[in-house]
């Protein structure tokens, strides 16, 4: 079967941007982020905005690890990006990212939920990072094999 990965990305402290700099600057930030997403993605990847500051990328023919690599490219590029406030002063922002890989027979809703939980974990662990939904997949397989041995 074809592998498929999902990235869920959320701008850190975005409400603060709108509150401090106004919605015009907030809109610029969203546009800048969307541009970075499109640049980091491959041609067949599907980018969508799912909330105010939350974006989804569906990556056909990609494993969780490939998704994490794309996520890292997004995270580092966005972190280096110089945003401008209304007084033309530069400021920097970060993004938190969750990534998951579709399991056999899994629904898209379940995949999204797992990527979203990974995103929440990235936020909880200090933001500006990527969390994988299946961080202990290989460890579980190893433990299972040891039980069988």
């Amino acid at each position: 079967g074809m592998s498929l990965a999902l990235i869920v990305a959320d701008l850190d402290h975005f409400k603060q941007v709108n509150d401090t700099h106004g919605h015009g600057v907030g809109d610029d930030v969203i546009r800048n982020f969307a541009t970075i997403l499109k640049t980091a993605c491959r041609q067949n990847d599907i980018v969508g905005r799912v909330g105010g500051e939350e974006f989804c990328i569906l990556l056909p023919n990609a494993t969780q690890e490939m998704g994490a690599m794309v996520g890292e490219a997004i995270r580092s590029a966005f972190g280096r990006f110089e945003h401008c406030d209304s007084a033309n002063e530069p400021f920097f922002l970060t993004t938190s990212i969750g990534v998951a890989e579709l399991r056999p027979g899994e629904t898209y809703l379940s995949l999204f939920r797992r990527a979203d939980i990974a995103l929440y974990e990235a936020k909880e662990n200090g933001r500006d990072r990527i969390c994988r939904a299946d961080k202990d997949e290989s460890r579980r397989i190893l433990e299972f094999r040891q039980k069988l041995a």
Side-chain angles (χ1 to χ4, degrees):
M2 187 181 83
S3 60
L4 182 133
L6 177 70
I7 291 172
V8 183
D10 189 275
L11 303 186
D12 298 326
H13 305 296
F14 183 68
K15 191 188 174 304
Q16 222 168 290
V17 173
N18 280 332
D19 293 349
T20 310
H21 303 295
H23 288 273
V25 173
D27 289 345
D28 288 343
V29 166
I30 294 289
R31 270 194 294 274
N32 295 339
F33 190 58
T35 303
I36 285 167
L37 292 186
K38 289 190 187 95
T39 307
C41 285
R42 306 163 307 170
Q43 209 172 347
N44 295 335
D45 297 337
I46 300 154
V47 180
R49 188 171 169 189
V50 284
E53 68 274 26
E54 195 169 313
F55 288 80
C56 256
I57 308 161
L58 208 54
L59 302 100
N61 293 312
T63 60
Q64 176 179 258
E65 273 320 296
M66 288 158 77
M69 282 167 69
V70 172
E72 180 50 37
I74 292 163
R75 190 199 64 79
S76 60
F78 187 68
R80 285 193 310 267
F81 192 96
E82 211 170 273
H83 304 274
C84 282
D85 68 14
S86 45
N88 239 5
E89 289 294 316
F91 65 97
F92 293 89
L93 295 167
T94 59
T95 179
S96 298
I97 292 173
V99 59
E101 183 180 334
L102 189 69
R103 290 171 173 166
E106 186 177 27
T107 64
Y108 280 110
L109 185 64
S110 166
L111 173 69
F112 178 76
R113 205 172 281 139
R114 289 193 302 112
D116 213 42
I117 289 166
L119 165 65
Y120 180 75
E121 191 189 329
K123 293 260 183 207
E124 288 286 285
N125 289 330
R127 299 182 169 86
D128 189 24
R129 68 195 63 226
I130 293 168
C131 279
R132 294 161 175 81
D134 279 321
K135 58 188 82 27
D136 58 356
E137 191 76 10
S138 50
R139 188 171 58 80
R140 277 204 303 271
I141 291 166
L142 202 68
E143 281 169 2
F144 184 64
R145 284 208 187 111
Q146 282 163 350
K147 268 190 203 124
L148 290 179

